[in-house]
């Protein structure tokens, strides 16, 4: 398929469609590209928690704010293997490890490479999110067998500096370029409900879909307002606006996995079903995300069964690297 260059007015046209027409178009695109009874499951693990030097105003792990997160040093390899084994046993096909770093420290990076090799040995897809990377680090991750690198644009370039001041949008784009050049899949999305306007949401999706190669995996996070962070009191996004964002993402990036990511804990079953109808085909399973709460696995499985859906098997995923 030839890659489309999206203009802002084209994205606005989608967003402005009557809700049911938008959902219809998104579901049509979803069915043309995926089996709409399948849900891909990933599990997250925070391998290094808290005291991050960045000031991302949504994040419980930033060292700039006083939150309930307790800092932890880098986990040891055995604990990571135990968690990944457990995740595999409960049906997750991808294991995603996150570290609260601006960029990976020299002394810890080789340990992360060992963790990736161990996850691959278990027969799972591996994803990490470690902050900014240089070319060499990206290459080393690829050589360790990493399938996906997660690095989100988070919001529009215009709103970005309202949310984060310690790094720039261009820093994010540079890391994504290093990941692509190393031949890895990109996992790149954003957060909805940080007080941004609809135009910011349009622009975020436009930026994602217009990247030199469309991210294979697109996490759409719904802000979890964390006490102690500057966004703690942010008004919750209207649920229909959130579903619209998923639907437009599905239409603009028809072959990507759209992950309904953070912020599911207080979503109703009906809202989950609308997000799946809009084309979300991946979720994080397990009681915790990195530090925040996620619905219990049994709750997710009960809903999938009610909806006639099932976890996607690894052989049906199309990892290309
Ligand atoms: N430090 C790395 C980085 O920022 O690239 C990786 C970890 S960071 C926690 C991964 C992503 O989690 C962020 O880019 C953001 O999209 C999401 N996130 C963090 N806190 C969140 C919150 N309170 N609500 C929703 N999403 C959140
Ligand atoms: C992503 O976009 N969302 C996940 C994953 N990538 C690493 C992380 C969500 C974090 C939510 C807040 C927390 O658990 O600390
Ligand atoms: Fe650090 Fe990532 Fe949290 Fe930002 S989002 S404060 S970089 S852990």
């Amino acid at each position: 398929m030839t890659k489309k260059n999206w203009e802002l007015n084209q994205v606005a046209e989608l967003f402005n469609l009557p809700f049911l027409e938008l959902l219809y178009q998104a579901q049509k695109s979803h069915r043309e590209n995926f089996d709409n009874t399948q849900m891909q499951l990933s599990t997250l693990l925070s391998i290094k928690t808290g005291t991050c030097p960045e000031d991302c105003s949504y994040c419980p792990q930033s060292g700039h704010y006083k939150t309930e997160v307790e800092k932890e040093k880098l986990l040891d390899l055995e604990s990571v293997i135990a968690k990944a084994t457990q995740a595999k046993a409960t049906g997750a096909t991808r294991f995603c490890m996150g570290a609260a770093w601006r960029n990976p420290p020299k002394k810890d990076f080789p340990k992360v490479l060992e963790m990736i090799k161990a996850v691959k040995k278990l027969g799972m897809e591996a994803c990490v999110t470690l902050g900014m990377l240089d070319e060499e680090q990206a290459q080393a991750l690829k050589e360790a067998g990493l399938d996906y690198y997660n690095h989100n644009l988070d919001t529009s370039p215009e709103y970005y500096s309202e949310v984060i001041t310690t790094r720039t949008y261009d820093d994010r784009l540079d890391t994504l370029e290093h990941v692509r050049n190393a031949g890895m899949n990109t996992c790149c999305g954003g957060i909805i409900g940080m007080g941004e306007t609809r135009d910011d949401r349009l622009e975020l999706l436009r930026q994602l879909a217009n990247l030199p190669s469309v991210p294979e995996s697109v996490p759409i996070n719904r802000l979890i307002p964390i006490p102690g962070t500057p966004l703690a009191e942010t008004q919750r996004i209207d649920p229909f606006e959130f579903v619209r964002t998923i639907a437009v993402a599905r239409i603009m990036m028809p072959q990507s996995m759209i992950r309904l990511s953070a912020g599911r804990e207080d979503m109703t079953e009906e809202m989950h079903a609308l997000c799946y109808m809009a084309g979300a085909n991946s979720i994080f399973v397990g009681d915790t995300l990195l530090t925040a709460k996620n619905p219990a696995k049994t709750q997710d499985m009960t809903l999938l069964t009610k909806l006639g859906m099932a976890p996607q098997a690894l052989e049906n995923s199309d990892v290309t690297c």
Side-chain angles (χ1 to χ4, degrees):
M1 191 197 267
T2 48
K3 194 174 163 315
K4 183 167 168 151
N5 191 41
W6 288 88
E7 302 287 343
L8 208 52
N9 66 321
Q10 296 174 306
V11 190
E13 264 172 39
L14 289 175
F15 253 99
N16 292 334
L17 283 172
F19 184 73
L20 296 181
E21 175 61 26
L22 175 59
L23 234 60
Y24 169 75
Q25 289 195 21
Q27 179 62 204
K28 192 163 163 282
S29 163
H30 190 185
R31 293 163 70 117
E32 281 163 11
N33 292 283
F34 295 97
D35 176 346
N36 69 351
T37 65
Q38 300 281 298
M39 183 63 62
Q40 189 273 328
L41 309 182
S42 294
T43 290
L44 275 169
L45 176 67
S46 179
I47 55 170
K48 191 268 157 191
T49 306
T51 61
C52 181
E54 305 282 39
D55 70 352
C56 312
S57 42
Y58 46 79
C59 187
Q61 302 202 65
S62 166
H64 293 254
Y65 318 122
K66 203 168 162 20
T67 69
E68 283 180 0
V69 165
E70 295 197 5
K71 66 170 183 181
E72 277 171 31
K73 284 197 291 208
L74 186 70
L75 290 186
D76 58 62
L77 183 60
E78 287 65 39
S79 311
V80 172
I81 294 174
K83 293 281 187 187
T85 307
Q86 201 182 335
K88 186 180 177 189
T90 63
T93 54
R94 189 178 306 170
F95 195 64
C96 310
M97 296 172 277
W101 288 325
R102 176 174 165 83
N103 40 32
K106 252 203 169 101
K107 73 170 180 18
D108 288 333
F109 191 61
K111 297 181 191 163
V112 177
L113 298 179
E114 290 313 309
M115 293 174 188
I116 294 166
K117 288 180 194 161
V119 169
K120 293 303 296 174
K121 242 192 194 161
L122 293 173
M124 298 180 87
E125 293 175 341
C127 176
V128 295
T129 178
L130 315 170
M132 291 187 256
L133 296 181
D134 60 28
E135 295 265 1
E136 242 174 71
Q137 290 165 326
Q139 197 52 49
L141 290 169
K142 167 74 183 167
E143 280 161 21
L146 190 69
D147 300 299
Y148 289 82
Y149 193 79
N150 168 244
H151 203 64
N152 292 338
L153 292 181
D154 279 332
T155 189
S156 68
E158 293 74 19
Y159 198 59
Y160 197 80
S161 58
E162 299 284 320
V163 181
I164 301 153
T165 70
T166 50
R167 57 163 192 257
T168 65
Y169 213 75
D170 283 348
D171 290 332
R172 294 307 264 187
L173 294 173
D174 287 348
T175 292
L176 289 168
E177 188 182 345
H178 299 153
V179 171
R180 280 192 307 271
N181 289 347
M184 286 179 288
N185 291 307
T186 51
C187 171
C188 183
I191 310 181
I192 307 303
M194 295 194 290
E196 76 285 349
T197 62
R198 178 182 275 188
D199 280 352
D200 291 312
R201 293 189 276 281
L202 300 182
E203 187 55 30
L204 166 67
L205 295 186
R206 194 175 81 91
Q207 292 281 332
L208 292 169
N210 285 350
L211 283 168
S213 62
V214 181
E216 285 77 9
S217 192
V218 181
I220 306 288
N221 297 280
R222 172 172 168 262
L223 177 74
I224 305 176
I226 307 283
T229 63
L231 297 186
E233 303 301 330
T234 310
Q235 199 188 344
R236 305 311 300 272
I237 182 99
D238 174 72
F240 293 107
E241 182 69 9
F242 184 79
V243 177
R244 273 183 190 275
T245 310
I246 301 247
V248 176
R250 163 52 66 224
I251 295 168
M252 293 174 71
M253 295 172 275
Q255 293 177 343
S256 305
M257 301 299 289
I258 306 288
R259 182 166 310 105
L260 177 59
S261 299
R264 295 196 299 110
E265 219 256 324
D266 59 350
M267 273 186 202
T268 61
E269 287 193 330
E270 293 83 353
M271 169 105 170
H272 275 90
L274 273 181
C275 291
Y276 300 163
M277 178 81 187
N281 58 350
S282 168
I283 52 173
F284 287 118
V285 285
D287 296 348
T288 350
L289 293 160
L290 290 172
T291 67
K293 270 193 173 168
N294 199 42
K297 170 101 196 292
T298 47
Q299 206 174 313
D300 282 327
M301 291 307 118
T302 304
L303 179 60
L304 289 182
T305 307
K306 266 194 205 179
L307 300 176
M309 299 174 79
Q312 185 189 58
L314 189 56
E315 45 284 15
N316 295 334
S317 109
D318 50 2
V319 175
T320 50
C321 65

